[in-house]
Amino acid sequence: MKLFGLTGFPLGHSMSPVIHRELFKIANIDGEYNLYEISPENLNNAFSELKNLSGFNVTIPHKISVIQNLDELDEKAALFGAVNTVLVNGKTKGFNTDCDGFIRAVKMAGITLEGDVLLCGSGGVSRMFAFECVLAGCSLTVAVREADIPAANILQAEIKEKLGKNIEVINIKDVAKGYHLIINGTPVGMFPNTDACILPKNIIQKSNAVFDAIYNPEETLLIKYAKEAGLKYSNGLSMLVWQAAVAEEIWNGVAFSEDDIKKVIQITKEELKKQ
């Protein structure tokens, strides 16, 4: 039996074991997936335990700090400066499958990554969204609160340095038009604050498509307003499942269809309702 897992701190009610166990079933992999809750100060000492696995996922707060323990980095992980998947095969190699999860989730929803894109947020997963949008040739505007403008300016400078492209940074209060795609990379609207929405309804409904990184609740106000207007939309659950599937591809050389992923999404939704 192959052993895999997720490390982070704290891990709480992670859906990763549920998702990977279902992916194991579909791909006929004899695998076990467990949680390894490791505090930041213990990561270096505990890394030898993680190296006994065939592979593992990495979440907050270790996505950046784990890099110093790795032998190699994939191109995208090096670009983003963040790792969420590690292959252990003699050496340890870090990957970032969040980007693959995003690209495949958007495609599955019938959303094209092109034109004018508004990204709400500049930290955490928003950095990956920003890089992927620029790599896809989008015209990107990053909208943040006043307090987050310095952080967004750092992201702007990093994209200019690494990709040679310009992005616009604005105060989220100044968003005044619709976009081809709106991406929410903030926790605004996440359970239990489900009555909050990152943008006004009229701005959302002037746009063509919406991607919300949140998956609890399944339908945020952002998604609700998009559905009302007949826009294409996706929440973060498909991204979560797809990034796990890409990790399985790296670890086990398997492949999954959209139908496979839809089945795992449905099972994960049912598990989320039990929490």
Side-chain angles (χ1 to χ4, degrees):
M1 177 181 284
K2 290 184 175 182
L3 300 178
F4 303 93
L6 170 69
T7 185
F9 187 86
L11 289 177
H13 297 289
S14 170
M15 298 310 298
S16 291
V18 172
I19 293 168
H20 282 280
R21 286 165 197 164
E22 292 305 318
L23 293 170
F24 289 157
K25 289 178 192 174
I26 291 168
N28 292 316
I29 294 163
D30 185 15
E32 184 178 297
Y33 191 99
N34 297 303
L35 300 180
Y36 297 85
E37 190 170 84
I38 300 170
S39 63
E41 61 271 19
N42 288 329
L43 179 62
N44 291 344
N45 289 335
F47 194 75
S48 57
E49 180 186 0
L50 297 173
K51 285 176 72 173
N52 290 327
L53 306 175
S54 294
F56 57 93
N57 293 124
V58 184
T59 190
I60 296 168
H62 302 326
K63 286 187 173 188
I64 296 170
S65 56
V66 75
I67 291 173
Q68 65 186 348
N69 293 290
L70 302 176
D71 298 312
E72 297 177 57
L73 281 185
D74 174 70
E75 186 179 340
K76 281 288 181 75
L79 179 65
F80 300 145
V83 163
N84 80 322
T85 297
V86 175
L87 172 66
V88 183
N89 186 12
K91 292 183 176 181
T92 52
K93 185 172 183 178
F95 297 81
N96 191 307
T97 68
D98 286 330
C99 51
D100 303 278
F102 171 57
I103 296 296
R104 297 195 197 190
V106 166
K107 182 182 177 184
M108 193 164 77
I111 299 169
T112 54
L113 204 54
E114 62 184 6
D116 288 343
V117 175
L118 180 73
L119 169 61
C120 302
S122 62
V125 74
S126 291
R127 289 184 71 259
M128 178 275 294
F129 290 146
F131 273 94
E132 285 300 329
C133 288
V134 173
L135 286 169
C138 302
S139 175
L140 181 66
T141 300
V142 176
V144 293
R145 301 171 302 172
E146 182 72 33
D148 293 328
I149 285 177
N153 287 338
I154 291 170
L155 175 61
Q156 181 185 49
E158 188 180 358
I159 286 175
K160 177 67 174 175
E161 179 189 349
K162 290 185 175 180
L163 302 181
K165 302 290 184 180
N166 294 311
I167 66 171
E168 186 178 0
V169 173
I170 63 171
N171 190 311
I172 200 157
K173 292 179 180 177
D174 296 332
V175 176
K177 69 180 185 76
Y179 289 79
H180 172 68
L181 172 62
I182 293 172
I183 302 171
N184 180 31
T186 78
V188 175
M190 185 185 292
F191 181 84
N193 302 311
T194 56
D195 58 347
C197 190
I198 193 68
L199 291 167
K201 182 177 179 178
N202 67 309
I203 296 292
I204 296 163
Q205 296 189 335
K206 284 179 188 174
S207 302
N208 296 334
V210 162
F211 183 90
D212 196 338
I214 294 168
Y215 57 85
N216 186 15
E218 181 182 343
E219 187 174 292
T220 58
L221 276 181
L222 178 60
I223 296 289
K224 181 184 177 184
Y225 294 153
K227 285 175 74 173
E228 280 180 6
L231 312 183
K232 291 179 179 178
Y233 65 89
S234 176
N235 73 3
L237 189 55
S238 58
M239 178 176 132
L240 183 68
V241 174
W242 269 120
Q243 65 81 23
V246 177
E248 291 288 345
E249 291 175 9
I250 291 166
W251 294 333
N252 295 307
V254 293
F256 299 94
S257 68
E258 285 194 359
D259 284 342
D260 292 333
I261 299 305
K262 286 173 183 175
K263 287 176 190 172
V264 179
I265 289 170
Q266 191 55 45
I267 290 166
T268 309
K269 281 181 187 177
E270 290 164 8
E271 287 296 320
L272 278 167
K273 287 174 185 174
K274 295 176 186 177
Q275 293 188 2

